[in-house]
Amino acid sequence: MPPEIRNRRGSSLSAVGRKEAATASEDSRLGQVDYGRWQGRIVSVFTGIGSFFKRFFGSAPSAAKALSVYDAFRHAAHEELSSPIQRSLRDYHIACAMAYHRVCILSEEKKGQEMKLVLSGGSEKISDQVLTEVRKTVSCSTVELTYKYLAEDRTLPVGFLRRALIPDLIQSTMREFSVNAEEAEAIILKLTQDTGLLKDSDITFERILEIKNAVRWRFVPENIAPVPTGKDPVGGFDPSNPAASPPGLDKPGATRYHLDEVDKAHIQNVVDKGGGIKLKNTDTRNRIKRYFLRNKRNFTLNTFAMVVSAVLTGLVTGGIGAAVSLFSYIAWCGIWSGGTELIRMTKAVRALQKAEASADYKLDVNDLGVLSEMDDQKFRVFLKSLRYICSHETLTRIFNAYSELEKDAQLRLEMEKEKDESHLETVIRLEEGKARYLFRRRNLQDAFKLYKRFYTAAVSDVERMDKEWEPVLDQLWTCKFKNMDPEKRERLFSDAANDPRVIGRSYHFKTKQTGWLKKIFPKMTDDFRSDGSITSKEAVEELERVLAEEMPDIELTEEERKRFNTHANRVANALILAKNGVRSYMKGWLKGAFKSTMVHGFKVGWHAVEGVPKLEISPYLPRPSVDGLIIFGFFFLADLFVNRYNEKINRERFEHTVGRNTDKSLTWDWYGQRERTGREEMNTMRRLAKDELEDFVDRILKLHDSHKDIMEEVRLQKQIGQVDPTSPVFDHMQDKEAAVLILRRQYHHQIISEMMMGAIGKYYESVLTKTGYWDQKMGHIIPPQNAL
């Protein structure tokens, strides 16, 4: 039996932990979303710095307090256990549980001729949270405690095999299979010898499973024993390397391995911590690979720019100049990227805080849907903050999480074809594959939370405004346009569509396009012309007269307007490219200034030591250089062509993804042409959604402003109508003003609708549909999952 354990004060270690049902309510606050980059690189850094200063300047963890906690568990055990042997076993179990949380250290010291186990103070201070965790661990079984150590790859306490694990296996055998102590002890000791479990360092998850299953086979033989295939899992024992040698059990009558809930929980715990037992973890490699694939355009352009700069510098100054230029360019890019990333993460943390503070907006309305200024401002802050977070982090995080989910789901389904429960390794791989999928799904659910909140808030707001607008539209239509001559009505709306209050810089209603009004009013244009075009000569003449007299500056045909919009887009793209070029040139200029300042400072310091005059070493101001101008031109032209080509490819791929193009979406890899995977489709939508997100929010907020102005105008018209109750509500409103009012409202709404049907909405829908697809495929392996 295990010897008695003594602490430094000579008291007997003993206690029994009470099991507690810990229920944690899910915190729905946005701030609880765990963003690895931000929290890991900013919040945790400052937390770690704070903890360091507390430890350095504060008091060390109290050994006396740790031992007093142990005494509390010991006294509780005295009331429940009467057997000295049972108390001694619980003594050691409690000590190991406390050592796991680092509130104490369990070591071995020689007292006289015997080695005694002693407790001393640990590195962790006692707090309410730590005490709660210790209490939960104390209530665990010894096997569960063993798995906790193994999951973190920590060294087990001294004497753990003889003093904890073997006695626990003996007791569980006696309890589960109703055998006496002598028989159970003989069986367990024989199995530990056969499996090579001789010392603490030999304890592995596989060996524990071998022993547990061998005991089960002995007392509960299976009726049907599957025939083992492949390599015999039972082999010889190598004394020189017991941890790596296969188990040495005799083949039992049944060979179907079984994992209990504790074993499955351990596998899930290892996976949740980012580890693996039998499956290789390639998360880091995949993340780096996807990062380079997402940014291959920038990497390619920067690499070419560095090569061009190095070659030109080498031609002018010699080979050493090229090497220095290349080194300084790479160093500067690293500093610039790191600084940009730090600023971006800091702004993201601030945006998350703003979103939390403004998340209590209420879109309930009073008279005619006019929001309170406070709620309107909160909603704007909320939407803009989540837009920043989603565009810089969330969309990519969703893509990464889904990519890993798809890969692990495919891997687990492939395993099902080779299912062989007569091999322990296969059983562990199958369970680990299931645990991996559950882990990936939780990660995707966490990543999707903010985008779901952002998108549903935007859609709900648009639906709210639609509900407020529809009764007004019905009244306007009935009062003004329902009984109007169709041709006159179409001329009127064509005129209103070109009003400066309606048209935009980059979007307009295509009034010459077939059925343009039906797209705007699908429920109210049954009596419109089927072709939707203006064929009447009088109508054309009337429109030209109106354009000439009332809007002389807007004499644009549809073709001219299309060319104008194309030109505007090109100008916008040129401005973006010019900005990128100027930025690249400024990076080189700042690099030169930084380098010259450092050189100057070094010379000043050195000459100050030598007492040399400083007149010869004044720093120079960087001047425009040939390589800088060439880099500027390179970025300007290369970005122009590469951006256009990249956008065209993404648009074509998106059309395939959403089914607008029925041809197969193909791509090339090392093995030839193949269909694109789901994660590749998600990446295309991610790229397009990221580009459209900023304009999407701006359009919604513009619709907010337009909706507010329109509802104020409607309220004014109703007040005017109250003067003459016998007339219809909008009878005093001019027909053209009513048409302009309608089109002003529909202008932003139509753009938002198209965006919702585009990459932004499809990305949201694809996460749900693709995850639901894999849930269905994995339905026979995992329990039904909650929706994202």
Side-chain angles (χ1 to χ4, degrees):
M1 287 295 130
E4 185 181 13
I5 307 170
R6 311 290 294 183
N7 67 7
R8 294 188 186 275
R9 297 182 297 173
S11 60
S12 176
L13 288 172
S14 173
V16 172
R18 298 192 183 107
K19 287 190 177 181
E20 293 187 47
T23 57
S25 60
E26 181 183 0
D27 195 339
S28 60
R29 292 189 304 157
L30 295 176
Q32 296 300 314
V33 177
D34 179 19
Y35 277 79
R37 291 195 311 162
W38 307 337
Q39 183 171 347
R41 298 182 189 179
I42 296 180
V43 180
S44 294
V45 168
F46 287 105
T47 302
I49 293 174
S51 300
F52 170 77
F53 279 105
K54 284 182 180 179
R55 288 186 180 182
F56 188 79
F57 296 105
S59 59
S62 172
K65 184 179 290 186
L67 292 175
S68 67
V69 170
Y70 152 74
D71 284 339
F73 286 108
R74 181 191 61 179
H75 290 309
H78 284 175
E79 297 178 359
E80 299 184 14
L81 296 175
S82 58
S83 169
I85 296 177
Q86 294 296 327
R87 289 181 181 178
S88 179
L89 293 177
R90 291 301 293 177
D91 289 346
Y92 185 78
H93 179 87
I94 293 167
C96 292
M98 295 178 65
Y100 171 75
H101 292 284
R102 296 185 173 89
V103 297
C104 69
I105 298 175
L106 184 61
S107 58
E108 199 172 31
E109 291 184 3
K110 190 171 184 179
K111 298 291 183 71
Q113 298 298 323
E114 297 182 2
M115 299 297 294
K116 298 287 186 178
L117 293 175
V118 295
L119 280 179
S120 57
S123 60
E124 191 72 27
K125 296 183 67 173
I126 300 293
S127 63
D128 291 340
Q129 182 179 358
V130 172
L131 187 60
T132 301
E133 294 298 322
V134 170
R135 185 180 291 110
K136 289 165 61 178
T137 305
V138 167
S139 66
C140 292
S141 68
T142 303
V143 172
E144 289 177 297
L145 181 59
T146 308
Y147 288 164
K148 285 180 178 290
Y149 275 96
L150 295 178
E152 298 183 12
D153 198 22
R154 289 174 53 184
T155 302
L156 287 161
V158 60
F160 191 85
L161 177 63
R162 294 185 299 109
R163 301 175 187 273
L165 184 57
I166 289 179
D168 183 71
L169 292 173
I170 292 173
Q171 289 186 352
S172 62
T173 302
M174 295 168 56
R175 184 173 56 254
E176 293 178 20
F177 303 106
S178 302
V179 297
N180 56 50
E182 290 76 12
E183 183 181 359
E185 184 175 359
I187 292 171
I188 296 301
L189 291 178
K190 177 65 166 56
L191 291 173
T192 55
Q193 289 288 331
D194 292 342
T195 56
L197 195 55
L198 305 178
K199 54 183 182 295
D200 293 342
S201 60
D202 296 336
I203 298 176
T204 62
F205 179 56
E206 290 87 343
R207 284 195 169 100
I208 294 175
L209 288 180
E210 287 283 3
I211 293 174
K212 291 167 66 175
N213 277 277
V215 172
R216 183 176 61 85
W217 293 335
R218 185 180 296 270
F219 294 104
V220 187
E222 296 173 340
N223 295 326
I224 301 177
V227 178
T229 59
K231 185 179 178 181
D232 190 347
V234 180
F237 168 62
D238 181 7
S240 64
N241 190 10
S245 60
L249 290 175
D250 294 333
K251 187 186 293 291
T255 56
R256 182 178 178 273
Y257 283 92
H258 170 75
L259 302 179
D260 59 27
E261 294 303 318
V262 175
D263 303 328
K264 295 177 181 178
H266 169 66
I267 294 175
Q268 187 71 63
N269 186 34
V270 172
V271 170
D272 291 347
K273 292 179 181 295
I277 299 176
K278 294 297 183 183
L279 300 180
K280 185 181 295 186
N281 190 317
T282 58
D283 287 13
T284 302
R285 186 188 69 186
N286 292 338
R287 194 178 301 115
I288 294 173
K289 176 183 175 183
R290 285 192 295 268
Y291 177 77
F292 277 95
L293 289 176
R294 288 197 309 270
N295 297 278
K296 56 183 177 294
R297 176 171 55 94
N298 294 332
F299 282 124
T300 303
L301 294 177
N302 279 311
T303 301
F304 283 156
M306 285 190 291
V307 171
V308 170
S309 175
V311 170
L312 289 174
T313 306
L315 292 175
V316 176
T317 64
I320 188 64
V324 171
S325 174
L326 188 62
F327 174 78
S328 61
Y329 197 98
I330 295 174
W332 178 255
C333 285
I335 295 172
W336 184 277
S337 301
T340 303
E341 185 72 5
L342 179 62
I343 294 172
R344 182 177 296 170
M345 289 189 295
T346 305
K347 290 174 67 176
V349 171
R350 180 58 181 154
L352 189 61
Q353 293 172 345
K354 287 183 178 180
E356 280 185 344
S358 59
D360 62 341
Y361 61 86
K362 297 178 178 62
L363 293 181
D364 50 350
V365 296
N366 43 43
D367 185 21
L368 287 177
V370 179
L371 287 175
S372 68
E373 293 295 333
M374 180 178 295
D375 286 328
D376 185 64
Q377 183 61 30
K378 283 185 176 182
F379 180 76
R380 288 172 179 271
V381 172
F382 179 81
L383 218 57
K384 288 181 178 179
S385 300
L386 289 192
R387 174 186 65 184
Y388 185 88
I389 300 170
C390 289
S391 62
H392 287 93
E393 172 69 16
T394 303
L395 294 179
T396 302
R397 190 177 176 214
I398 292 171
F399 165 66
N400 284 330
Y402 174 78
S403 297
E404 296 294 349
L405 178 137
E406 182 181 278
K407 288 171 68 71
D408 283 327
Q410 291 173 339
L411 178 64
R412 181 59 179 83
L413 292 172
E414 286 294 324
M415 292 182 197
E416 200 71 11
K417 300 176 182 178
E418 302 175 0
K419 188 173 182 180
D420 182 7
E421 295 182 347
S422 65
H423 288 75
L424 179 59
E425 181 176 348
T426 303
V427 174
I428 295 176
R429 284 171 56 85
L430 289 169
E431 184 62 30
E432 189 175 353
K434 170 186 171 182
R436 280 274 185 94
Y437 182 80
L438 295 175
F439 172 67
R440 302 301 187 197
R441 202 180 186 285
R442 286 195 301 271
N443 282 350
L444 180 58
Q445 193 168 16
D446 291 339
F448 190 60
K449 184 183 296 183
L450 280 189
Y451 188 61
K452 180 180 180 180
R453 186 71 185 274
F454 164 80
Y455 186 75
T456 53
V459 172
S460 298
D461 183 51
V462 174
E463 289 179 350
R464 174 191 64 82
M465 289 185 284
D466 286 345
K467 283 185 179 179
E468 297 162 9
W469 169 246
E470 285 173 1
V472 176
L473 182 61
D474 288 340
Q475 287 180 315
L476 278 169
W477 189 263
T478 302
C479 179
K480 290 289 182 182
F481 308 112
K482 184 177 182 180
N483 299 319
M484 186 180 291
D485 178 68
E487 290 188 358
K488 179 182 177 182
R489 181 171 54 197
E490 191 157 358
R491 288 198 305 270
L492 179 65
F493 273 97
S494 297
D495 181 11
N498 290 281
D499 191 282
R501 293 170 290 178
V502 175
I503 62 175
R505 290 179 297 177
S506 60
Y507 184 86
H508 67 282
F509 291 114
K510 299 177 181 179
T511 56
K512 297 294 182 67
Q513 192 178 64
T514 301
W516 75 278
L517 273 177
K518 286 188 177 182
K519 295 180 180 178
I520 302 174
F521 308 109
K523 296 181 180 179
M524 300 185 177
T525 54
D526 294 336
D527 57 344
F528 278 22
R529 286 183 176 269
S530 58
D531 58 357
S533 60
I534 301 176
T535 56
S536 169
K537 182 179 179 180
E538 293 79 12
V540 175
E541 292 175 352
E542 176 65 15
L543 178 58
E544 290 176 350
R545 183 191 63 78
V546 171
L547 290 173
E549 294 179 0
E550 300 184 16
M551 293 173 288
D553 297 331
I554 311 179
E555 299 178 357
L556 296 177
T557 64
E558 190 69 28
E559 291 74 16
E560 290 171 336
R561 188 179 296 277
K562 183 176 181 181
R563 288 197 298 269
F564 173 78
N565 289 333
T566 303
H567 175 71
N569 290 333
R570 287 175 178 172
V571 171
N573 290 336
L575 291 175
I576 294 173
L577 294 172
K579 181 183 70 174
N580 291 340
V582 171
R583 183 176 60 183
S584 66
Y585 183 74
M586 288 301 297
K587 285 166 62 177
W589 190 89
L590 291 173
K591 177 184 64 178
F594 180 75
K595 183 167 57 178
S596 65
T597 303
M598 288 187 63
V599 172
H600 173 65
F602 176 76
K603 289 181 178 180
V604 169
W606 180 254
H607 286 201
V609 174
E610 295 184 338
V612 178
K614 307 172 185 177
L615 297 177
E616 305 174 1
I617 57 173
S618 58
Y620 66 91
L621 185 67
R623 296 179 295 274
S625 59
V626 175
D627 66 318
L629 292 174
I630 291 181
I631 291 175
F632 175 88
F634 175 81
F635 266 88
F636 189 87
L637 295 176
D639 267 355
L640 176 64
F641 293 107
V642 175
N643 254 338
R644 289 292 182 87
Y645 178 76
N646 193 48
E647 184 178 357
K648 178 183 178 182
I649 291 297
N650 282 332
R651 289 292 175 188
E652 290 177 354
R653 288 174 173 174
F654 180 74
E655 296 296 320
H656 285 287
T657 301
V658 298
R660 296 172 189 166
N661 190 330
T662 56
D663 296 336
K664 290 184 178 180
S665 181
L666 302 176
T667 188
W668 291 90
D669 60 12
W670 299 105
Y671 306 103
Q673 203 172 32
R674 59 169 177 80
E675 286 194 53
R676 299 177 70 235
T677 62
R679 50 188 180 275
E680 289 173 332
E681 293 178 348
M682 289 285 288
N683 190 34
T684 298
M685 287 184 281
R686 179 202 63 83
R687 176 70 263 174
L688 295 175
K690 185 176 181 179
D691 292 339
E692 296 176 4
L693 209 59
E694 184 171 356
D695 190 40
F696 178 66
V697 172
D698 289 340
R699 289 293 179 184
I700 290 178
L701 298 183
K702 287 178 181 178
L703 180 60
H704 250 267
D705 295 335
S706 178
H707 182 79
K708 184 177 180 180
D709 293 342
I710 289 171
M711 298 308 287
E712 288 287 351
E713 178 68 24
V714 170
R715 175 158 49 186
L716 177 62
Q717 290 296 326
K718 287 189 175 183
Q719 290 177 352
I720 294 175
Q722 290 175 358
V723 178
D724 184 9
T726 59
S727 62
V729 178
F730 297 101
D731 187 58
H732 301 281
M733 193 177 193
Q734 295 182 2
D735 292 344
K736 181 183 175 182
E737 290 299 316
V740 167
L741 190 73
I742 293 173
L743 292 182
R744 279 180 60 198
R745 172 61 171 69
Q746 295 302 104
Y747 175 80
H748 297 295
H749 188 275
Q750 187 164 331
I751 299 175
I752 292 171
S753 299
E754 290 181 2
M755 287 183 172
M756 288 180 177
M757 294 298 294
I760 293 176
K762 291 300 180 182
Y763 192 68
Y764 177 86
E765 293 175 8
S766 292
V767 175
L768 299 176
T769 55
K770 290 181 183 295
T771 306
Y773 168 78
W774 291 116
D775 281 352
Q776 183 180 10
K777 297 283 286 185
M778 297 280 290
H780 64 290
I781 300 172
I782 62 173
Q785 299 297 302
N786 296 325
L788 293 179

